Amino acid sequence: MAVLEAEGVSKRFGGLQAVAEASLRVEPGRITALIGPNGAGKTTLFAMISGFLRPDSGSIRFDGREITGLAAHRVCRLGLVRTFQIVQPFAGLTVRENIAVGGHLKEPDRGRALAAAAAIARQLGMEAMLDAPAQSLTVAGRKRLELARALATQPRLLLLDEVMAGLIPTEVSEIVAVIRAIRDAGVDILLIEHVMQAVMSLSDDVYVLNNGRIIAHGAPGEIAANGDVIEAYLGQGAAHARG
Amino acid sequence: MLADPVFLLAVAFNGLTVGAIYALVALGLALIYGVLHIINFAHGSLLMLALYAAFFLFTLGGVDPYVAVLALAPGFFVFGYLLQRFVIAPISFGRDTNVLLVTLGLSIIFDNLALYLWTSTTRTINVPYAQTYVDIGVTAVALPRLVALGAALLVGVAFWLLMTRTDLGKAIRAVARERQGARIVGISVEHIFAVSFGLGTAVVALAACLLLPTFYVTPTVGYAFVLIAFTTVVLGGMGSFIGALLGGLLLGVVEAFSGVLLGESLGQIGIFLIFILVLLFRPTGFFGQRVA
Amino acid sequence: MAVRAPRRIARTSRRNFIAAGAAAAAALGMPALLRAQPKTVKIGLIHPMTGMFAYNGAQAFAGAKLAADEINERGGIRSLGGAKIELVVGDSQSKPEAAVAEVDKLSEAGVACFLGGYASGIGLTASQAAARQGVPFMSDTPVSDQITGRGLPGVFRFGPGFATITTAALDALVAINDAAGKPAKTVILVHEDGAFGSGMAKFLAAELPKRGFQVLDSIAHPTPTRDFTNIGLRLRAARPDIVMPSSYLNEYTLLARSIHQHRVPVKGIFSVIGGGASNFKFIREYNAAAQYIMDCNHWIDPNKPRSKRFVKALEERKVDLTYEVMLNYACMLLIADAIERAGSTDRAKISAAIASSTFEDHIMPYGPTKFVGGQNQGAQPATTQVQKMDIEVIWPQQFATAKAIFPIPQA
Amino acid sequence: MRLRSGQAGALFVLAAFFLLLPQFVTSSYWLGLWTLTLFYALLGQSWNLLGGYGGQVSFGHAVFFGTGAYVSAVLQVKFGFNAWAGAAVAVAAGGLVGAFLGAVSFRYGLRGSYFALVTLAFAEVFRVLVNSWELTGSGFGMLIPLRPGAAHLQFTDRTWFYYLILALLAAACALVWWIERSRFGAYLVAVRENEDAAQALGIDCFRVKVVAITLSGALASVAGVFYVQYFLFVDSHIGYGPAMSVNALLAPLIGGAGTLFGPLIGAVALGALSELTTLALGKTPGVNLLAFGVLLLVILRFLPNGLMGLFRGRA
Amino acid sequence: MLAVDGLHAGYGALRILRGLDMRIERGEIVAVLGANGVGKTTLNNTLCGLIRPTGGAITWLGEPIAGARPERIVASGLIQVPEGRRIFPNLTVRENLELGSYRRARRNRDRNLERVLIWFPRLGERLRQQAGTLSGGEQQMLATGRGLMGEPQLLILDEPSLGLSPRMVDEMFGLIRRINAEGVTIVLVEQNVVQSLGIAHRAYVLENGVFALSGPAAQLVADPRLKQAYLGL
């Protein structure tokens, strides 16, 4: 059974059809990627899955349970946690405190949550910044913090929204390793990503969203060869230029 | 009494004339809130200062308040402009809580400066037309009240023209919603902030000149209007100029009727209940736009 | 901050020591030494110098100051070797908690007695604090009957309390109405919604029917109120014979203007401690609206020579003639007299001297003072009426300077 | 997160200072001033819990203060309650008003200025109501009869009032200290910093805010109960007027909002400031407050994070 | 025309641009390419005075403008069409366009308005409509039109193809070429690599705050490093 199933999900903002009849499935034990050009509706789809937006139509099931329209914090408590593309740190708090907020979902004790936060930071290579205020972090640091905080909630399914954007290649490969490790630890992952290198090497399944519609679905290799996808990505004419 | 249509009409009309003053005071506040997104606690104190200015122009210089408008409105514009640009903005660092404290501090300063300079004596002026009553059929209205109502409507039209027909007005509206975009087309946001504060202050000066013939001035007179101005601004939709004007007129009428129904004392509750209900159920007010 | 206080106490006690020495010197007939050592008796004034009641506080201070200046010019407190009265102002900021802090502060600064209060809420808390410190407290204008009704030692009120004023007001109203052939039958009460106005209205609403008046309505309004037009309209619609307002000065002014503006056809306006009709400023500025308004209020006995001097002195000082000035002036004279008789700055002795006071040389229409449970028994208000540019006393008869003009002559 | 030795030392000095203060301050004026300062610190701490830690800035904290004062006064005067029992009910009532106000305004998603204004409006509604209602003494206000004795929460020796407010403030600080170190506190701060992120991490922002405003309301009503027992009088302007709302936010904002000792430091600083200006300039009405206003602006200009910013900046 | 030397900039402690050098000549279309978050928008904002650079120099028409106020930079003819359009949603389309000439070319407002409406006829149909109600593509046109109202000497277009349908993107790029042909120098900041290179004369590729590649567009199109950077192919 799929961990996550979205079926025919649509969302309209005023005159703009942000997501149209999008369907996707996340299978257990796999890393699923959602790609597409800017403005394609990926983040909107994420927001609907995680309960931040209510879809106009369609249904979302998590672990076989209907979660369409459920409030975000309830979705999170079921084990489905998202990160934000535009990072949303608790700017005034330290890295340790930031992560501990996530940890508190399962751990009421402050001391233990803080200790767990340190452990997660170590796992993500952030131990040096534990007591730095979140607002002093670099883009890469903030992305990592976003991931660490989500991870601290001990989720079943992690929705990662562009955690690699803006990272330098070495940082990207570090994060790729981290994400793999998370998957191996039994957390399923759905990610939005622009850094194609990472998508190709990480994911087992790729969905391509363009203008709010899923235009392709398949293994990374198939997707890379798909003319529609290349065109959607590099712009019109790219498929020919390549050939 | 309540079944008497003449009485009710008189109450309604009176509400309108009172609402005209509320509208003007609120218009200034709405402008400042709408553009700068700050709650100006010194607004009542500015009204008080303007009332004193008009009072002294009359008693010392023999200038009629209606004539004094010509000097006070520009004068207070400059005052407001400088206040925002050189006091409020630099001290508050753009933080909301600090803006709150700065305007609070300013109101403490103004109120006590007035107390120190002019003592706590209640001052009124005696202009011949204050005792002139115009019979409008249902009731006799003091001439200054009619003038205030007319002026409020006129200012409404003038503001509407300013906001829609001039580059300055368009720039103010642009800054109110999209500061980054405004900077990109070369609008100095700091300047527009100060201009808005100045305009808001100028309107308050106008309100003061209209109010003085039928009212009084003391160092604490502003408090009588601050809360009502906030209510008006919320009712009209935070930052909506037309909303503030109509909201003020409406509140005047509501106050008049709830005063008649519940008594002036308990009747104030009508205003605040409206205030709360609007905040809860239609926080954009009746004329504000929904913010995405 | 903490260390300064003991020093202050030390200073006070040194001064007491000098005072004692000076008294001894006086007894030994050494007047030269006395003049070389000018002494003062401190009186603490708890007045609202800032905040909502700042005007009233300033007026109250002016009254106390005038009295103190007169006493000092005439040689101060003789029994203390000509000690001068020094007024120490404690600003109550129109707030009880500030008033209490000032009472504490001035107690420690060695004041012999307090004078002040102004509003009932402030007076109640301030007098309580003074009682705790063992300093006598003379209330000036608070009318709440609880001021002296609580049995606090050393808390006095020279002026009349609530029950006295209202009863007197009703007597005056009935008498004036009877004299005119009972033209008035209906009344509307207009009052501010604080302690003073609400209390007044409640009492009047209960008492007026017993005296043959029908109360059509009782209209409360807040302080400040921005607009009185609606009340004017209501009055015009209800057509009462008499309107009885109880409000502070600003609201009173607006109300009188509104009644005038809407040509409410009343036979009389009779206020009870209405701030306006007993104020010459109001009469100067709104003479038309003020005409024939009657007011039962704290007021001087205008026939006393001292009152005439008092009024003249106020004119010289450009101080408005209001009841705060009168009562504070009179209270200060009373306190000075008590200290004179006590012959000491000892607070308990002053308190006892006030309690046993039979002081008569004041400006109020009270007769000799007689305190029972802190309340001056002879205290009573006067009823005044605005006639042309003057405020005439029309009741009680023995103080009257003019006859009441009632009902208002219709033009 | 546990106390560092420096902090423990500072705490010890602070506690010793306040506990021993009455030994040195024999002047009842100064003791009264310190009592008032601690009272303002308590009121500020209640605001701080909601506004400083939770980021929900209230302009109407008088609504809780007044409820505490009025409920305890009415219960004693009109229903013959014992003062202590009345106090307990009053504190519960303050919490209840907080819960109600929070439930209503947070349910409708009010934030920032909107929330601030709605609290202001509620305070005004309460003010008008108690001013018109017979039970609450209408315009007279409530005067609590003098009944000296600890059983009636009235002390003839005002040192006891000092210790009472000190104990109440210490308890409030302990509560805030504990919250700072609890899951709830972490959630509260998270909600202040970023509601979206908080929600994404499973925090029920609505519930957190309602709990915070309930606690804050209860604390403010403790201050209200103290006020009314100390001065034995409250009326609508004192209880629900805007002045008390301003007092509630001034101390924490000056001292440092969202810090444990911000309200205390702010209250002490404001007290000292107003004493100094009165001492130096108190002769003419208004001048001292004028100077107070100017100094307030100067502090804001140079210490935008409040006085606690001095310490934090160095850390 | 525009020279950038060793430019550093960032937000607070965040350092985003770390030493950029760049030259723009009159009449060119220069593309600045790069993935999300590499600092393209920071570069634009620094050029336009919205962000004060922490180091380096910007020389515009022979004058240093690093750290100058944005209104002065706009007045001198360096105008940006920002990412996310930043149109005034509460103003009408016409008012938006009029404000394009708030600081510059106010006297030629009517003439320029006509010109913009010829380029973007769809805006002409909606002059009285509130700008916030326009579709994404129309908003992009409006933002571009607004930029042109100020008679820019250099127009910086930040992601003009963002969120547009492929047909609209084609249309947009065609327009950019036409605008350039009328004498406006253009800096095109884009993700859409192929089409941008198709119309640009030269290009810079930004990676983590520094330019990783630069050169004539024709050369870069064929550069395998470019494709790798984007698709990982």
Side-chain angles (χ1 to χ4, degrees):
Chain A
M1 188 185 63
V3 175
L4 179 76
E5 281 177 286
E7 263 182 42
V9 176
S10 300
K11 184 80 195 174
R12 174 181 278 278
F13 297 118
L16 183 74
Q17 184 75 48
V19 176
E21 295 284 320
S23 301
L24 61 77
R25 292 163 69 86
V26 176
E27 302 294 340
R30 295 166 76 97
I31 294 177
T32 308
L34 177 65
I35 66 170
N38 269 344
K42 300 173 304 244
T43 297
T44 306
L45 184 54
F46 255 40
M48 287 189 284
I49 293 172
S50 55
F52 276 82
L53 284 175
R54 181 182 277 275
D56 296 336
S57 61
S59 89
I60 300 159
R61 276 186 304 283
F62 174 61
D63 257 349
R65 182 178 166 172
E66 182 78 31
I67 59 164
T68 321
L70 208 59
H73 66 270
R74 294 193 186 283
V75 172
C76 171
R77 286 175 190 180
L78 294 175
L80 192 167
V81 181
R82 75 173 290 193
T83 67
F84 290 91
Q85 175 192 359
I86 300 158
V87 288
Q88 312 269 13
F90 304 121
L93 307 188
T94 64
V95 167
R96 191 196 304 269
E97 289 165 343
N98 261 275
I99 302 174
V101 172
H104 273 307
L105 186 66
K106 300 265 167 70
E107 174 57 72
D109 182 78
R110 183 78 180 145
R112 281 201 285 272
L114 287 166
I120 287 170
R122 210 166 303 131
Q123 198 183 336
L124 296 186
M126 307 185 72
E127 52 201 319
M129 315 164 206
L130 267 172
D131 291 310
Q135 60 199 355
S136 71
L137 297 184
T138 62
V139 173
R142 291 175 187 212
K143 296 273 183 192
R144 246 176 234 235
L145 178 59
E146 193 82 17
L147 180 60
R149 234 170 30 182
L151 210 52
T153 64
Q154 305 175 21
R156 279 273 293 111
L157 173 65
L158 204 49
L159 268 56
L160 303 178
D161 196 346
E162 299 203 25
V163 284
M164 294 169 215
L167 304 191
I168 58 175
T170 52
E171 292 169 335
V172 169
S173 41
E174 278 171 32
I175 283 271
V176 165
V178 168
I179 294 174
R180 277 218 184 87
I182 295 169
R183 191 259 324 260
D184 294 345
V187 180
D188 301 319
I189 291 168
L190 172 63
L191 50 82
I192 293 177
E193 207 39 86
H194 270 293
V195 179
M196 296 305 289
Q197 211 170 353
V199 172
M200 296 300 156
S201 66
L202 254 181
S203 47
D204 306 301
D205 251 334
V206 181
Y207 286 87
V208 186
L209 197 65
N210 193 27
N211 290 324
R213 292 176 187 282
I214 301 284
I215 58 167
H217 168 218
E222 298 164 32
I223 294 296
N226 186 321
D228 289 346
V229 176
I230 293 173
E231 191 153 307
Y233 249 80
L234 291 183
Q236 217 163 23
H240 313 292
R242 194 170 150 257
Chain B
M1 186 168 72
L2 290 176
D4 177 5
V6 173
F7 175 73
L8 293 182
L9 267 176
V11 169
F13 189 82
N14 171 54
L16 275 184
T17 64
V18 176
I21 299 289
Y22 296 168
L24 285 175
V25 178
L27 181 64
L29 199 65
L31 188 65
I32 292 167
Y33 182 85
V35 179
L36 287 84
H37 301 197
I38 62 172
I39 290 181
N40 177 22
F41 259 104
H43 205 65
S45 304
L46 289 170
L47 178 71
M48 177 270 298
L49 288 183
L51 278 165
Y52 270 111
F55 173 82
F56 283 115
L57 276 179
F58 181 80
T59 48
L60 302 180
V63 185
D64 188 278
Y66 292 160
V67 180
V69 170
L70 299 176
L72 286 184
F76 270 74
F77 172 81
V78 173
F79 181 55
Y81 185 98
L82 297 176
L83 204 59
Q84 159 64 23
R85 189 117 200 206
F86 298 105
V87 180
I88 299 175
I91 295 184
S92 61
F93 297 95
R95 282 190 224 175
D96 284 356
T97 51
N98 285 3
V99 170
L100 177 76
L101 286 178
V102 173
T103 53
L104 201 66
L106 282 177
S107 80
I108 293 175
I109 291 174
F110 291 155
D111 293 356
N112 288 287
L113 191 69
L115 180 65
Y116 170 61
L117 290 178
W118 306 310
T119 74
S120 50
T121 309
T122 299
R123 294 162 197 261
T124 50
I125 61 166
N126 211 349
V127 283
Y129 51 80
Q131 305 289 335
T132 309
Y133 300 106
V134 183
D135 202 326
I136 58 155
V138 289
T139 184
V141 182
L143 184 64
R145 291 295 191 74
L146 273 186
V147 173
L149 182 59
L153 297 177
L154 218 76
V155 166
V157 173
F159 245 78
W160 182 73
L161 288 175
L162 174 77
M163 286 296 156
T164 54
R165 298 294 154 86
T166 68
D167 269 18
L168 179 69
K170 290 170 203 162
I172 288 175
R173 285 159 60 216
V175 168
R177 277 296 290 277
E178 180 50 70
R179 292 178 190 178
Q180 188 82 340
R183 287 211 170 87
I184 277 159
V185 298
I187 296 170
S188 164
V189 172
E190 292 70 27
H191 173 73
I192 293 293
F193 277 1
V195 166
S196 305
F197 204 99
L199 277 175
T201 313
V203 180
V204 163
L206 170 69
C209 293
L210 295 170
L211 189 58
L212 189 62
T214 56
F215 209 63
Y216 57 85
V217 52
T218 69
T220 52
V221 69
Y223 294 110
F225 291 88
V226 176
L227 225 52
I228 205 90
F230 277 130
T231 314
T232 307
V233 171
V234 170
L235 186 65
M238 297 262 221
S240 160
F241 315 125
I242 298 302
L245 275 174
L246 295 179
L249 295 175
L250 184 64
L251 262 195
V253 176
V254 167
E255 189 190 44
F257 278 107
S258 68
V260 167
L261 288 173
L262 301 171
E264 298 295 321
S265 189
L266 192 59
Q268 298 168 95
I269 225 169
I271 292 178
F272 296 112
L273 285 180
I274 286 190
F275 182 77
I276 291 169
L277 291 177
V278 170
L279 270 176
L280 294 181
F281 296 107
R282 198 172 158 75
T284 52
F286 289 120
F287 302 94
Q289 289 153 341
R290 286 221 172 263
V291 183
Chain C
M1 286 207 286
V3 282
R4 200 178 301 142
R7 204 179 63 209
R8 205 181 265 215
I9 288 167
R11 205 170 52 206
T12 319
S13 52
R14 192 173 64 233
R15 191 174 298 126
N16 289 344
F17 174 71
I18 292 169
L28 291 171
M30 295 165 69
L33 184 64
L34 277 181
R35 248 173 261 125
Q37 300 284 339
K39 302 165 303 160
T40 61
V41 181
K42 287 187 182 176
I43 307 294
L45 301 179
I46 303 298
H47 290 325
M49 305 305 289
T50 55
M52 227 162 72
F53 302 129
Y55 172 74
N56 313 84
Q59 288 294 102
F61 174 72
K65 179 86 169 40
L66 177 62
D69 287 352
E70 284 181 10
I71 292 161
N72 289 341
E73 276 164 27
R74 282 195 222 121
I77 308 285
R78 283 184 205 92
S79 67
L80 290 176
K84 300 273 188 276
I85 287 181
E86 183 189 347
L87 299 180
V88 197
V89 183
D91 179 9
S92 70
Q93 299 172 32
S94 313
K95 295 186 291 197
E97 67 264 29
V100 168
E102 290 300 326
V103 166
D104 288 348
K105 188 196 227 169
L106 298 187
S107 297
E108 279 160 22
V111 300
C113 181
F114 283 109
L115 167 60
Y118 182 63
S120 293
I122 302 170
L124 285 166
T125 44
S127 57
Q128 200 165 285
R132 191 179 277 148
Q133 302 280 0
V135 187
F137 190 100
M138 179 66 69
S139 305
D140 57 355
T141 57
V143 293
S144 166
D145 283 335
Q146 284 168 305
I147 294 264
T148 50
R150 290 171 297 173
L152 285 177
V155 177
F156 301 96
R157 179 166 53 204
F158 176 58
F162 185 81
T164 311
I165 297 175
T166 39
T167 310
L170 287 170
D171 290 345
L173 179 64
V174 169
I176 292 165
N177 193 35
D178 286 355
K182 297 196 182 187
K185 292 181 179 60
T186 56
V187 174
I188 285 187
L189 306 168
V190 179
H191 63 94
E192 67 95 32
D193 62 6
F196 131 68
S198 305
M200 201 66 79
K202 199 173 140 196
F203 182 86
L204 290 175
E207 290 298 319
L208 279 167
K210 296 181 194 160
R211 310 269 186 143
F213 291 96
Q214 186 195 353
V215 178
L216 298 177
D217 205 349
S218 178
I219 305 174
H221 66 79
T223 305
T225 290
R226 292 165 292 265
D227 176 53
F228 273 88
T229 314
N230 287 318
I231 294 180
L233 289 171
R234 277 174 79 173
L235 291 176
R236 196 171 67 162
R239 294 179 169 269
D241 295 327
I242 292 177
V243 175
M244 297 187 74
S246 308
S247 311
Y248 292 108
L249 178 61
N250 293 339
E251 282 67 30
Y252 196 95
T253 309
L254 294 177
L255 171 66
R257 283 160 72 170
S258 182
I259 290 176
H260 181 67
Q261 169 192 343
H262 290 95
R263 303 191 192 106
V264 180
V266 289
K267 300 201 168 75
I269 299 171
F270 189 101
S271 57
V272 187
I273 325 189
S278 309
N279 184 322
F280 275 105
K281 190 158 167 276
F282 169 64
I283 293 157
R284 273 197 308 278
E285 288 169 3
Y286 298 102
N287 193 260
Q291 274 320 301
Y292 308 122
I293 291 182
M294 292 174 280
D295 190 9
C296 182
N297 208 335
H298 307 289
W299 200 256
I300 52 173
D301 174 356
N303 301 313
K304 288 186 179 176
R306 179 145 212 167
S307 299
K308 288 177 178 142
R309 288 206 306 275
F310 167 75
V311 172
K312 206 161 153 253
L314 286 188
E315 271 168 26
E316 278 163 18
R317 294 189 176 206
K318 293 196 167 53
V319 174
D320 298 340
L321 180 67
T322 63
Y323 67 84
E324 296 96 343
V325 188
M326 300 168 186
L327 270 177
N328 274 276
Y329 178 81
C331 286
M332 185 53 75
L333 293 182
L334 170 72
I335 292 169
D337 173 70
I339 297 173
E340 186 75 68
R341 287 187 295 106
S344 160
T345 52
D346 181 83
R347 291 157 172 178
K349 285 186 183 152
I350 294 173
S351 195
I354 297 176
S356 65
S357 177
T358 53
F359 182 62
E360 206 171 353
D361 184 24
H362 55 68
I363 53 176
M364 306 305 284
Y366 297 171
T369 52
K370 180 181 176 229
F371 286 101
V372 175
Q375 174 61 46
N376 178 16
Q377 298 301 302
Q380 63 170 333
T383 300
T384 58
Q385 184 172 39
V386 179
Q387 298 184 358
K388 303 210 173 69
M389 288 306 285
D390 282 321
I391 295 177
E392 305 285 0
V393 174
I394 53 171
W395 189 265
Q397 220 105 55
Q398 68 260 41
F399 307 111
T401 53
K403 262 180 69 83
I405 301 178
F406 180 83
I408 294 172
Q410 298 301 316
Chain D
M1 274 296 120
R2 246 156 271 133
L3 280 184
R4 272 168 265 146
S5 62
Q7 282 176 323
L11 200 64
F12 178 77
V13 171
L14 205 65
F17 173 77
F18 281 112
L19 280 173
L20 296 177
L21 190 86
Q23 302 299 313
F24 303 109
V25 180
T26 47
S27 149
S28 66
Y29 168 62
W30 286 108
L31 192 68
L33 215 62
W34 277 107
T35 307
L36 264 189
T37 303
L38 296 184
F39 158 77
Y40 284 127
L42 174 64
L43 188 63
Q45 190 65 282
S46 92
W47 185 94
N48 192 35
L49 178 58
L50 180 67
Y53 287 94
Q56 311 300 315
V57 172
S58 137
F59 287 178
H61 241 56
V63 75
F64 310 125
F65 169 85
T67 300
Y70 262 101
V71 169
S72 76
V74 168
L75 288 179
Q76 285 177 67
V77 176
K78 305 258 165 149
F79 297 98
F81 270 54
N82 171 273
W84 292 93
V89 179
V91 172
L96 209 65
V97 170
F100 167 74
L101 216 155
V104 168
S105 43
F106 296 134
R107 175 62 70 211
Y108 288 96
L110 295 188
R111 294 186 198 183
S113 333
Y114 290 93
F115 174 72
L117 288 175
V118 92
T119 54
L120 183 78
F122 266 109
E124 278 300 302
V125 167
F126 275 70
R127 189 181 66 70
V128 174
L129 280 180
V130 297
N131 203 37
S132 311
W133 196 10
E134 200 68 33
L135 184 71
T136 49
S138 60
F140 296 105
M142 299 295 302
L143 183 76
I144 295 186
L146 206 57
R147 258 185 303 181
H152 302 293
L153 237 175
Q154 294 181 18
F155 306 105
T156 16
D157 181 358
R158 283 203 284 175
T159 315
W160 289 110
F161 272 115
Y162 171 83
Y163 280 121
L164 177 64
I165 190 69
L166 182 63
L168 291 173
L169 177 65
C173 288
L175 173 72
V176 170
W177 185 81
W178 176 78
I179 285 175
E180 253 189 8
R181 278 145 190 82
S182 71
R183 165 153 80 174
F184 173 70
Y187 279 5
L188 187 59
V189 172
V191 166
R192 171 190 76 197
E193 293 287 321
N194 193 324
E195 280 196 33
D196 278 348
Q199 236 189 324
L201 297 174
I203 299 174
D204 184 346
C205 298
F206 173 73
R207 204 184 139 262
V208 167
K209 287 192 282 187
V210 169
V211 172
I213 197 173
T214 306
L215 287 175
S216 176
L219 273 186
S221 62
V222 170
V225 170
F226 176 82
Y227 184 98
V228 89
Q229 290 304 131
Y230 188 59
F231 294 110
L232 299 177
F233 179 74
V234 64
D235 68 16
S236 67
H237 284 279
I238 299 166
Y240 289 109
M244 210 44 91
S245 298
V246 169
N247 282 335
L249 60 83
L250 216 48
L253 284 182
I254 291 290
T259 60
L260 180 56
F261 290 113
L264 178 60
I265 290 177
V268 171
L270 284 169
L273 197 62
S274 96
E275 271 310 297
L276 279 176
T277 49
T278 306
L279 207 64
L281 303 157
K283 305 260 168 350
T284 322
V287 178
N288 53 337
L289 287 171
L290 185 69
F292 177 83
V294 172
L295 281 173
L296 184 67
L297 292 194
V298 171
I299 290 179
L300 288 172
R301 172 70 184 80
F302 295 104
L303 290 173
N305 287 322
L307 291 167
M308 283 299 282
L310 280 176
F311 304 104
R312 248 193 287 170
R314 241 183 289 151
Chain E
M1 190 178 200
L2 180 72
V4 174
D5 295 290
L7 188 65
H8 285 262
Y11 303 91
L14 268 184
R15 289 177 49 224
I16 294 178
L17 304 182
R18 314 171 206 185
L20 293 187
D21 299 305
M22 181 169 137
R23 293 281 178 284
I24 312 288
E25 300 303 333
R26 202 174 283 277
E28 279 189 314
I29 299 180
V30 177
V32 175
L33 307 172
N36 265 339
V38 291
K40 290 175 301 189
T41 297
T42 307
L43 171 62
N44 285 345
N45 288 343
T46 311
L47 292 179
C48 296
L50 298 178
I51 298 172
R52 190 174 276 274
T54 49
I58 308 171
T59 313
W60 164 243
L61 301 175
E63 277 186 49
I65 57 160
R69 300 189 54 80
E71 57 267 22
R72 212 197 102 201
I73 295 175
V74 170
S76 68
L78 199 169
I79 294 174
Q80 154 170 226
V81 178
E83 185 193 5
R85 294 125 194 179
R86 300 279 180 192
I87 54 152
F88 309 120
N90 53 333
L91 271 60
T92 64
V93 169
R94 176 191 279 274
E95 288 171 332
N96 264 275
L97 290 172
E98 284 170 348
L99 281 183
S101 54
Y102 178 85
R103 185 64 62 182
R104 193 175 147 82
R106 199 179 294 203
R107 254 182 247 139
N108 303 339
R109 180 174 282 177
D110 293 341
R111 198 190 71 202
N112 289 336
L113 187 62
E114 254 172 61
R115 210 159 57 125
V116 166
L117 293 182
I118 291 169
W119 282 328
F120 303 104
R122 188 141 8 147
L123 294 181
E125 299 160 18
R126 297 172 192 267
L127 276 178
R128 299 168 68 91
Q129 199 172 320
Q130 284 232 317
T133 65
L134 297 181
S135 74
E138 289 164 345
Q139 290 193 6
Q140 185 61 49
M141 290 177 189
L142 178 58
T144 313
R146 186 181 68 182
L148 290 167
M149 287 293 291
E151 294 183 2
Q153 300 206 45
L154 173 66
L155 187 67
I156 302 175
L157 292 163
D158 197 345
E159 306 266 9
S161 71
L162 189 76
L164 302 191
S165 68
R167 226 196 72 210
M168 289 278 285
V169 174
D170 279 348
E171 210 175 293
M172 195 71 219
F173 278 91
L175 272 166
I176 293 170
R177 214 197 285 255
R178 269 177 68 190
I179 291 163
N180 176 248
E182 297 201 13
V184 181
T185 311
I186 284 170
V187 170
L188 184 61
V189 179
E190 259 295 348
Q191 284 201 37
N192 192 326
V193 178
V194 175
Q195 269 183 314
S196 303
L197 291 178
I199 63 167
H201 302 109
R202 290 189 301 118
Y204 292 86
V205 178
L206 191 60
E207 253 177 37
N208 294 306
V210 290
F211 286 132
L213 289 172
S214 67
Q219 265 177 31
L220 284 176
V221 165
D223 195 319
R225 285 178 294 172
L226 182 67
K227 227 169 244 174
Q228 202 172 4
Y230 271 80
L231 270 182
L233 297 177

